[in-house]
């Protein structure tokens, strides 16, 4: 079992920055790929960015050049640095990890971009 706790969400003005964190505990030795997703009410959850345990990253086209995903394996923590935020980035952000073939999700953290 893996437990995930997200933090770092909040209210920011357009053009501002936030850094999300996802701290893992439990069977962390088994964690492979990690990722950030977001979901608006009534819409499907969509991938924002992912990172393998080798550090290979992928990004949604809408966030390329603005968001950076990273992980610190020593701290069992994943990050999402979000710069130049736009109103359309407003969503609940979730972290997900893959461990021993299973998916584990965090509880979500709200990001609101509004002037």
């Amino acid at each position: 079992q893996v437990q995930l706790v997200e933090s770092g969400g909040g209210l920011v003005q357009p053009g501002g920055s936030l850094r999300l964190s996802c701290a893992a505990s439990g069977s962390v030795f088994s964690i492979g790929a990690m990722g950030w997703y977001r979901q608006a009410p009534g819409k499907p959850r969509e991938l924002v960015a992912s990172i393998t345990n080798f550090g290979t990253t992928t990004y949604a086209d809408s966030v390329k050049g603005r968001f950076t995903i990273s992980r610190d394996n020593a701290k069992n923590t994943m990050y999402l640095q979000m710069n130049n935020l736009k109103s359309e980035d407003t969503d609940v952000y979730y972290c997900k990890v893959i461990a021993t073939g299973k998916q584990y999700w965090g509880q979500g953290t709200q990001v609101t971009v509004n002037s």
Side-chain angles (χ1 to χ4, degrees), residues 37-40 44-46 48 62-63 67 89 91-93:
Y37 290 72
R38 64 188 182 186
Q39 185 172 27
R45 196 167 292 186
E46 63 175 10
V48 176
S62 58
V63 306
F67 291 10
D89 295 318
D91 270 325
V92 178
Y93 285 70

Side-chain angles (χ1 to χ4, degrees), residues 39-90:
Q39 185 172 27
K43 294 187 177 181
R45 196 167 292 186
E46 63 175 10
L47 175 67
V48 176
S50 66
I51 184 167
T52 70
N53 47 357
F54 299 107
T56 302
T57 59
T58 59
Y59 295 92
D61 288 341
S62 58
V63 306
K64 283 180 180 177
R66 300 188 298 122
F67 291 10
T68 302
I69 189 172
S70 61
R71 61 191 288 175
D72 184 336
N73 292 330
K75 296 182 178 180
N76 302 312
T77 302
M78 175 178 62
Y79 304 96
L80 185 68
Q81 178 66 44
M82 304 186 293
N83 297 329
N84 190 22
L85 282 159
K86 304 176 181 181
S87 58
E88 52 263 42
D89 295 318
T90 296

